Amino acid sequence: MDKTSQATNGRVNARAWYARPAEALAEELQTDFNCGLPIDAAARRLVQDGPNELPEAPPPSLLKLFLSQFTSLIVWVLIGAAIVSGLLEDWIDAAAILAIVFFNGVLGFVQEFRAERSLAALRKMSVSLARVIRDGVLQSIPARELVRGDVVVLEAGDRIPADARLVYTTNFQAQEASLTGESTPVPKQAERLEATDVPLADQRNMVFMGTVAVSGKARGLVVATGLGTELGRIAALIQKAAEAERTETPLQRRLEQFGSTLLWLALTVVAIVFVLGSLRGEPLVEMFLVSVSLAVAAVPEGLPAVVTITLALGVTRMAKRHALIRKLPAVETLGSATVICTDKTGTLTENRMRVARFYMDHLEIEVQESCLVIAGRVTSVIEAEEYAPLFDAIIHCHNAKRVRKTGSRPIVTGDPTEVALVEFALGHGLLHHDPLPRMGELPFDADRKRMATLHWRGGQLVAFVKGAPESLMPLCNQIRHQGVRSPMSQEDRQRIMAQSRTFAHQAYRVLAVAMRDIEQGIEKLDIEQVEQNLTFLGLVAMMDPPRQEVPEAIARCRQAGVRAIMITGDHPLTALAIARQIGLASTETPTEPDGYCPVIEGHQVETMSDDALRRLLTPSNPGEPEPVFARMAPRHKMRIVSTLKEMGEVVAVTGDGVNDAPAIKKADIGIAMGIAGSDVAKETADMILLDDNFATIVNAIEEGRAVYANIRKFSTYVLASNVPEIVPYLAFGLFGIPLALTVPQILAVDLGTDMVPALALGAEKPDADMMASPPRPRTERLMNLPLLLRAYVFLGLIEAVIAMGSFFLLLLTQGWTWDIPLEWSDPLYRQATTATFAAIVVAQVANVFACRSDHLSATRLGWFSNPLMLWGIVTELTILALISYTPIGNEIFGTSPLPLWFFGPLVLGALTLLLAEEGRKMIVNRRHRRANLATTQIVSPS
């Protein structure tokens, strides 16, 4: 039996393969670097460990997705009302209610028709073929047949097929950004690492499944396959997060609370009316029918559909602001967010290296968009003639390619640092002349940490060299100072290296640049002959800079009470420098006696207790800088997100790489990058940023808050009309007053006339002060007491008075008296119920203006600022006319035409409602101003 039989899930004992001698690993895996595994041994291990692939998620059930749209309590209340109407053979009412429930379900299903394909996307990242040595023969095999102990051969462009310990490298680099967050290619080596606790991003003798080889050649010893790989471990974390019970969104919880409250309120009122009516001697069958009708009147049938459509409108508005929402409830959840855990590369930064600083003539020179700032003097690159040799070196010493043009500007591809150099030259007009002919190249390698190119200039060879300062400086014996070459002193060397260290601590990637005129007579142009007696030209400092709009977005987050925490796999110094530039961390170096550092690394989170992590994540003062997390592995990110959720925070998590997917899945709302994001991150996320910009998240939070505010606006509007629908049944059941409204007329209001104006309220733009208040508490109800009092007790009772007054006004003007009985088929009765119906509709025209804000006057908001609202008013008045003045409308809804003069009192009643609401707002605003003034006087008694 193989020694590897002791391994589980494709792993060799401990995972610290980078710290073990390659020969020891080969012996343990019973393989050979040159000959690889015997074919029969590989076959046995494939049976033992299973194929080198990730499990594919089962296809989603469309039926289950559709049925999930009908789990809300308020939807079941509507279905119950439809069933009761059907049992009573009131087919029109039952069909109308079921139609709106079905429409609501279809709308939600269509919007959320996105399968959860996280594991399938992970599987796509694996490769189809791998080159492997078996029985001493190099051969290509399906990557799924790789086993531990195989020796894989890698070249530039290959996608790494499994986790492997490198045993041989030549100028080999791998792009691991999707796995570690490291934004630039990582040079690899075969030498063993001495440390035993090295973060994934620093394991330079390891390559990982799903990453990409970008240059050089290498051989690797496969140490993990399938679920045993780092990619497999992330797949397991995603699966664990997916299998965990996903908590309801804040909106879903609040709608459930409202549905429960509404259900018990309706049942209580229905029971009271039924009992009191029965005690009055009314027939039980008649009281049962009245009670059922009262239940229908108490339920806002159109509310679920309006909520769904409003969320869909929010999705549309967010898409216009570059945020693509995959799941409807995520719209409002984002508005509830209290913490954003954000990645760095590509979200807070531009995801491209740019030249930011030079160091020449012992001066630090700032690079701006079209000029240089030298000792306070602004000049163009062309005018800075004394630095021309440095710029010549930058232009020629690289292998970046200009491959095509967009407009008049070429697209540059290649190593990110070299791309930055060429883009600097392009942006500052240095490439207008033909380059010098290249005569040769000494390519970069990880041992030398530099490269050189040879060019023909003026009848002589010249060498341009660039590389790591610590590698290049010992080769320099001259320096250009004020345009003249002079011997390099020890003081010069020390000042240059000190500046290099300063740049490095500011998170810049630093290159030293030098040149040499090649004397005639040198027979062999090799490394030893060319790279010596160099003339130092300068230092180049590059960085992936923050996006311009991010600092303002961070400030808006703070103003809105939303905390932003950076969690990145990148280097701590880089993370801290970016955090300071965008305002996430203090610009001052911490000096606390306990040695607190604002950057927390993954290994620290690993050993930190839960209480210590909670204390770290709890700010002692609002607005103080948050800790910055760097070198974070996926499990560390998940732990931070889980802890924040346990602390009661609503957590949004952003990311672009495979390493971000578990935390994205765990979050209340996961956000993936649309441009640079991996398929895994996108399929796991609830929202995708189409422009990969942090500022878009802040805009989406504003839209999310607007959606919640709009839901409360149209809820107030809809609930207010429920009161004049309920009061006629209460009056009939309790006092025997003729029933002033029929059930079909109630449904005509709830599912007809109210719908478009309610949607108009759902489409309102965010208020100007939307981001000036903190996130609402988790415990806040959607329909809180102030909203219910305003809707039911104030606006609703005014509408009820108008409606009942209209009912009796028409009866009395037509000669009716209390001793005259009213039959259901009596034309006068049908006309009187039409008056009630018309009164509710006309009052709702005024109410839609009143509900646009709970504190701002309708005149301040503008009468014509919401065109959809005007169309909604036209629509509801048209429906009123069709129901009241057409034979088919009279037949279906039991109505009769009203005399035109009757609309005068109806309009007067509607204006009364609007003026009463304006007066209420004036009183409330005056009280708030007095309270704010008193608070200001207490804080500033002077």
Side-chain angles (χ1 to χ4, degrees):
M1 181 182 295
D2 288 346
K3 295 180 182 180
T4 53
S5 61
Q6 300 171 6
T8 59
N9 292 330
R11 302 178 191 174
V12 181
N13 300 337
R15 297 189 68 89
W17 298 303
Y18 51 84
R20 302 172 66 182
E23 294 78 9
L25 278 175
E27 182 181 354
E28 181 175 350
L29 291 170
Q30 296 183 339
T31 189
D32 181 86
F33 297 156
N34 297 316
C35 296
L37 282 173
I39 292 177
D40 56 347
R44 288 196 302 271
R45 293 188 189 186
L46 183 61
V47 173
Q48 176 184 326
D49 292 339
N52 175 40
E53 59 187 7
L54 302 177
E56 186 173 3
S61 168
L62 298 184
L63 177 62
K64 185 177 180 181
L65 179 61
F66 180 69
L67 293 178
S68 69
Q69 309 299 320
F70 303 95
T71 57
S72 171
L73 179 59
I74 193 170
V75 171
W76 280 104
V77 171
L78 293 180
I79 293 174
I83 292 173
V84 172
S85 297
L87 293 176
L88 296 175
E89 298 185 358
D90 195 347
W91 304 116
I92 293 178
D93 296 350
I97 296 173
L98 288 177
I100 199 69
V101 170
F102 181 77
F103 171 75
N104 179 66
V106 170
L107 189 64
F109 171 79
V110 170
Q111 188 64 41
E112 293 187 13
F113 184 44
R114 299 275 197 280
E116 295 297 330
R117 297 187 299 267
S118 301
L119 297 180
L122 275 169
R123 190 179 184 186
K124 290 177 185 177
M125 293 192 64
S126 60
V127 290
S128 57
L129 293 176
R131 285 178 299 144
V132 62
I133 299 175
R134 287 183 177 174
D135 277 336
V137 178
L138 178 63
Q139 52 190 289
S140 293
I141 65 170
R144 69 186 304 275
E145 295 179 7
L146 279 177
V147 296
R148 293 170 296 111
D150 268 328
V151 177
V152 291
V153 178
L154 304 171
E155 292 183 355
D158 289 346
R159 188 175 290 274
I160 312 299
D163 287 4
R165 166 74 154 81
L166 295 176
V167 297
Y168 162 79
T169 62
T170 300
N171 304 329
F172 189 72
Q173 295 187 86
Q175 178 57 264
E176 299 177 345
S178 65
L179 192 63
T180 66
E182 188 77 49
S183 56
T184 55
V186 180
K188 294 293 184 176
Q189 65 185 44
E191 289 76 16
R192 169 191 176 214
L193 302 182
E194 296 297 333
T196 57
D197 188 14
V198 179
L200 199 67
D202 293 330
Q203 295 178 18
R204 299 303 169 94
N205 59 1
M206 293 288 300
V207 289
F208 304 101
M209 184 181 190
T211 60
V212 179
V214 294
S215 66
K217 299 180 179 181
R219 285 189 185 184
L221 182 62
V222 174
V223 292
T225 60
L227 284 174
T229 63
E230 291 296 330
L231 198 63
R233 298 178 80 190
I234 292 174
L237 289 175
I238 295 175
Q239 194 167 17
K240 181 179 178 181
E243 290 174 353
E245 183 177 355
R246 186 72 179 256
T247 57
E248 292 179 321
T249 68
L251 179 62
Q252 289 171 328
R253 285 195 298 271
R254 291 178 175 110
L255 286 175
E256 287 300 304
Q257 291 171 348
F258 172 65
S260 177
T261 301
L262 191 64
L263 176 62
W264 286 111
L265 181 63
L267 290 177
T268 300
V269 173
V270 166
I272 292 173
V273 170
F274 181 82
V275 171
L276 293 180
S278 300
L279 293 177
R280 287 180 52 252
E282 298 289 345
L284 293 180
V285 174
E286 184 174 334
M287 287 309 304
F288 178 74
L289 293 175
V290 169
S291 298
V292 171
S293 301
L294 180 57
V296 173
V299 176
E301 287 83 3
L303 189 60
V306 177
V307 169
T308 302
I309 295 172
T310 298
L311 291 175
L313 290 173
V315 168
T316 303
R317 288 201 305 272
M318 287 185 179
K320 293 179 180 178
R321 302 181 77 172
H322 308 295
L324 178 64
I325 301 295
R326 297 183 61 234
K327 301 173 184 177
L328 277 182
V331 177
E332 191 275 336
T333 304
L334 194 60
S336 305
T338 59
V339 178
I340 303 173
C341 295
T342 176
D343 193 18
K344 177 188 70 67
T345 305
T347 310
L348 300 176
T349 66
E350 296 179 359
N351 197 24
R352 66 186 184 99
M353 300 293 288
R354 290 176 59 184
V355 176
R357 293 280 193 277
F358 290 111
Y359 182 72
M360 300 177 283
D361 271 354
H362 297 309
L363 292 175
E364 185 175 338
I365 300 172
E366 180 184 354
V367 177
Q368 296 187 354
E369 187 171 349
S370 59
C371 61
L372 303 177
V373 180
I374 306 173
R377 176 174 59 92
V378 178
T379 183
S380 71
V381 173
I382 304 299
E383 293 171 347
E385 295 180 357
E386 64 270 34
Y387 305 126
L390 173 64
F391 301 141
D392 280 343
I394 287 175
I395 292 171
H396 293 93
C397 191
H398 66 81
N399 287 317
K401 304 293 183 184
R402 287 179 281 171
V403 295
R404 61 185 176 88
K405 293 192 174 185
T406 301
S408 60
R409 188 177 178 86
I411 300 298
V412 184
T413 62
D415 180 86
T417 57
E418 295 190 337
V419 169
L421 296 176
V422 176
E423 288 185 339
F424 165 80
L426 278 170
H428 290 80
L430 295 175
L431 298 181
H432 294 325
H433 303 291
D434 292 334
L436 299 174
R438 179 180 288 197
M439 310 305 294
E441 176 186 347
L442 301 175
F444 174 90
D445 68 56
D447 295 326
R448 287 167 46 241
K449 296 183 180 178
R450 59 185 182 272
M451 72 170 290
T453 55
L454 300 170
H455 303 269
W456 190 258
R457 183 174 65 179
Q460 183 181 15
L461 274 179
V462 61
F464 295 120
V465 187
K466 76 174 193 300
E470 64 274 15
S471 168
L472 191 144
M473 287 305 298
L475 307 176
C476 295
N477 61 5
Q478 295 186 82
I479 182 173
R480 281 188 65 90
H481 184 61
Q482 296 182 351
V484 179
R485 294 190 191 186
S486 58
M488 178 179 286
S489 66
Q490 188 62 27
E491 181 185 358
D492 290 333
R493 200 178 303 274
Q494 290 174 351
R495 291 176 66 179
I496 292 168
M497 291 307 297
Q499 183 63 46
S500 173
R501 287 190 292 271
T502 299
F503 279 149
H505 279 86
Q506 293 171 346
Y508 290 108
R509 171 165 285 208
V510 187
L511 288 178
V513 182
M515 64 171 291
R516 178 189 173 189
D517 293 324
I518 305 296
E519 303 86 357
Q520 294 183 1
I522 297 180
E523 296 182 357
K524 187 178 181 182
L525 295 177
D526 58 11
I527 292 173
E528 288 75 16
Q529 293 293 328
V530 173
E531 294 179 353
Q532 61 173 318
N533 301 325
L534 303 178
T535 300
F536 176 77
L537 301 177
L539 298 177
V540 185
M542 291 168 284
M543 176 183 279
D544 178 13
R547 293 177 179 268
Q548 288 185 346
E549 56 273 26
V550 166
E552 180 185 352
I554 295 293
R556 289 184 67 199
C557 278
R558 287 214 173 92
Q559 181 187 24
V562 180
R563 300 163 58 196
I565 300 176
M566 182 193 294
I567 305 178
T568 179
D570 216 337
H571 193 280
L573 288 177
T574 305
L576 180 59
I578 295 297
R580 285 174 170 167
Q581 290 182 47
I582 63 177
L584 276 183
S586 172
T587 56
E588 300 178 1
T589 303
T591 56
E592 286 82 344
D594 60 357
Y596 168 76
C597 175
V599 180
I600 309 299
E601 296 189 46
H603 65 87
Q604 294 173 277
V605 173
E606 190 87 47
T607 58
M608 198 175 287
S609 67
D610 291 341
D611 288 340
L613 184 57
R614 276 191 289 269
R615 285 195 299 271
L616 178 66
L617 294 172
T618 304
S620 55
N621 297 307
E624 72 173 6
E626 301 286 351
V628 175
F629 294 90
R631 284 290 187 248
M632 302 298 291
R635 62 184 182 280
H636 303 143
K637 295 183 182 182
M638 272 195 69
R639 187 182 177 202
I640 291 171
V641 173
S642 298
T643 302
L644 285 168
K645 292 181 67 175
E646 290 168 3
M647 293 165 60
E649 306 282 3
V650 179
V651 185
V653 173
T654 76
D656 58 356
V658 183
N659 57 329
D660 299 312
I664 288 174
K665 191 72 174 179
K666 183 70 175 177
D668 291 297
I669 177 164
I671 305 170
M673 305 298 107
I675 299 174
S678 65
D679 287 343
V680 185
K682 292 175 187 177
E683 293 298 333
T684 306
D686 303 298
M687 183 177 93
I688 298 172
L689 300 184
L690 301 180
D691 59 356
D692 289 10
N693 196 333
F694 181 84
T696 300
I697 302 174
V698 183
N699 293 335
I701 288 177
E702 182 180 40
E703 289 290 352
R705 291 187 176 189
V707 165
Y708 183 79
N710 291 346
I711 290 174
R712 301 191 72 174
K713 290 175 186 178
F714 68 66
S715 296
T716 304
Y717 172 79
V718 170
L719 294 178
S721 67
N722 278 159
V723 178
E725 294 170 352
I726 294 172
V727 166
Y729 289 88
L730 289 175
F732 176 80
L734 298 178
F735 308 112
I737 294 175
L739 192 60
L741 197 68
T742 65
V743 171
Q745 292 165 358
I746 291 173
L747 294 177
V749 172
D750 291 353
L751 303 180
T753 61
D754 271 1
M755 290 293 287
V756 180
L759 290 177
L761 289 172
E764 287 274 273
K765 296 179 180 179
D767 295 338
D769 59 350
M770 186 67 69
M771 295 295 284
S773 57
R776 55 190 171 273
R778 269 182 177 268
T779 55
E780 180 181 281
R781 289 178 174 267
L782 178 66
M783 315 297 179
N784 58 10
L785 184 59
L787 185 148
L788 293 176
L789 289 176
R790 180 178 173 227
Y792 282 141
V793 178
F794 188 73
L795 296 171
L797 284 182
I798 293 175
E799 284 199 25
V801 171
I802 296 170
M804 294 302 293
S806 300
F807 177 74
F808 286 111
L809 176 63
L810 189 134
L811 288 175
L812 294 175
T813 57
Q814 299 299 316
W816 177 83
T817 59
W818 284 96
D819 58 343
I820 299 177
L822 286 174
E823 299 295 334
W824 296 90
S825 58
D826 191 330
L828 179 61
Y829 174 73
R830 293 164 68 95
Q831 194 174 43
T833 59
T834 306
T836 308
F837 170 67
I840 295 174
V841 173
V842 174
Q844 284 291 81
V845 171
N847 193 29
V848 74
F849 288 104
C851 291
R852 291 186 69 185
S853 173
D854 60 357
H855 64 283
L856 292 178
S857 169
T859 56
R860 285 187 59 186
L861 293 170
W863 301 103
F864 306 104
S865 57
N866 187 339
L868 182 58
M869 184 176 296
L870 301 180
W871 281 108
I873 293 172
V874 171
T875 301
E876 66 179 333
L877 292 178
T878 301
I879 294 174
L880 171 61
L882 292 174
I883 290 176
S884 303
Y885 293 98
T886 63
I888 189 171
N890 297 159
E891 177 68 24
I892 294 175
F893 295 96
T895 56
S896 183
L898 294 172
L900 293 180
W901 68 263
F902 195 77
F903 284 93
L906 296 186
V907 172
L908 184 62
L911 291 176
T912 302
L913 180 145
L914 187 58
L915 290 174
E917 173 64 4
E918 290 291 297
R920 184 199 67 80
K921 291 177 181 178
M922 188 181 301
I923 295 171
V924 170
N925 289 335
R926 187 176 300 166
R927 288 180 178 176
H928 284 169
R929 283 195 296 269
R930 288 176 180 174
N932 292 336
L933 180 61
T935 303
T936 303
Q937 291 174 345
I938 293 172
V939 174
S940 305
S942 59

